[in-house]
Amino acid sequence: MMKLSGKVALVTGGNSGIGLAVARRFAEEGARVFITGRREAQLAEAVALIGGQVEAIQGDITRTDDLTRLFRTLGTRAGRLDILVNASGVSEPASLEETTEEHIDRAFNLNVRAMVLTVQHAVRLMGEGGSIVLVGSVAGAIANPGYGSYSASKAAVRSYARTWNSELAPRGIRVNTLSPGPTDTPMFDQASDEVRQTLTARIPAKRLGNPDEVAAAALFLASDESSYISGTELVIDGGMIA
C-alpha cells in the first residue's frame, strides 16, 4: 500500500534539488502534490518529470501577494492540506567582513520570513493528522566558516519548529525539521571544488548526500509511520555532525 494515498501535499521549492526529489517521491507514494517556485519553465519541467498527480502553482513565496494567491488556489483546487514541506532556501557564501545588509536580508527573507508566513497560511487548511516538515541544515548546528547568515537562518528553522510543535500539538498537527548535510543539488553547484573536497573530508561516509536520500526521510516524517514523532530534528548527513 502506498504511504500517502489520499493525502494532499505542498512542496515549496519543488521545482529543483531536494524539493523536486521530495515531490517526486510523494507522488510515487500516492499523494496529490502541489509544487511552487519562481521559475515557470522549471516548474513545467518538474511536472513533466514527476508525472502523476502533481500540479504547479508559480509564485515567489517571499512576496505577500504570491503567497496569498498560492494558498487561495490550493484551497480552491484541493480544499485542504495534509502535508507541507518547506524546501525553499538560498545559500550564499560571505565571511563576516563580506557580509552586507542585502546579503543578510536575502538569507533571512527566504529561509526564515517566507517560511514563517508559509506555515501560517498552511495551518489554516490543515486538520488533525497534518504534518509540517521544515528543511533545515546541519549548518544550523555546527561552525560553518563563510556561511554565517545561512547557518543562522537554518538555526532559526529548528527553533521555530520546536515552538510550533507545542503550539500546534493541540490541533493534532506535527512539526519536524529535516536537516541534510552537504547534498549534491543545484544549490551546491556554486561551491568551489576546494569547498566540496573540504566538506566531503569531514563526512565519515566520504561522499555527499543525494536528494533521493533526503526525500526518503521526508516521506517518513510526512507519513503516518512517524505519527508519534514531533518537534524533532532528523539529520541526514552521513555522520558529519556526530
Side-chain angles (χ1 to χ4, degrees):
M1 179 179 176
M2 292 185 288
K3 296 178 180 179
L4 300 181
S5 294
K7 301 286 189 180
V8 177
L10 170 65
V11 182
T12 71
N15 53 333
S16 67
I18 289 173
L20 175 59
V22 170
R24 182 170 55 194
R25 185 65 188 274
F26 282 13
E28 291 171 353
E29 292 291 341
R32 181 182 179 186
V33 181
F34 291 84
I35 60 174
T36 188
R38 291 178 300 165
R39 300 175 181 86
E40 191 77 59
Q42 202 172 45
L43 283 169
E45 291 174 3
V47 169
L49 176 65
I50 297 169
Q53 298 187 92
V54 61
E55 301 175 51
I57 305 173
Q58 187 276 334
D60 180 348
I61 63 171
T62 67
R63 298 174 60 90
T64 301
D65 289 348
D66 283 10
L67 197 58
T68 300
R69 177 174 53 82
L70 165 64
F71 282 94
R72 184 170 56 242
T73 303
L74 180 60
T76 299
R77 293 185 187 177
R80 73 177 201 280
L81 181 64
D82 302 302
I83 301 163
L84 169 68
V85 177
N86 190 89
S88 298
V90 62
S91 173
E92 296 177 346
S95 67
L96 174 60
E97 291 79 8
E98 296 166 337
T99 298
T100 63
E101 292 181 20
E102 292 76 17
H103 169 81
I104 296 170
D105 288 345
R106 282 193 298 271
F108 279 83
N109 195 30
L110 180 57
N111 296 353
V112 182
R113 177 183 176 277
M115 176 198 69
V116 173
L117 298 179
T118 297
V119 173
Q120 189 178 65
H121 279 78
V123 296
R124 295 169 185 160
L125 291 175
M126 279 189 172
E128 186 169 350
S131 178
I132 297 172
V133 181
L134 307 176
V135 178
S137 170
V138 297
I142 61 176
N144 200 21
Y147 288 85
S149 297
Y150 174 73
S151 299
S153 71
K154 290 303 184 179
V157 171
R158 185 177 66 245
S159 179
Y160 270 115
R162 291 172 177 171
T163 299
W164 293 338
N165 165 60
S166 297
E167 292 180 352
L168 297 175
R171 295 175 53 180
I173 298 174
R174 297 183 296 114
V175 186
N176 289 291
T177 306
L178 187 63
S179 290
T183 305
D184 202 2
T185 66
M187 182 185 290
F188 207 72
D189 288 346
Q190 61 186 297
S192 67
D193 289 341
E194 181 181 0
V195 169
R196 293 172 71 95
Q197 292 168 4
T198 299
L199 288 174
T200 302
R202 295 171 62 186
I203 302 170
K206 298 305 177 189
R207 66 174 178 85
L208 301 179
N210 70 66
D212 288 337
E213 291 171 316
V214 181
L219 172 62
F220 171 67
L221 291 178
S223 74
D224 292 338
E225 290 188 350
S226 61
S227 59
Y228 198 53
I229 298 176
S230 189
T232 193
E233 179 181 19
L234 179 55
V235 176
I236 308 97
D237 69 346
M240 183 178 182
I241 66 172

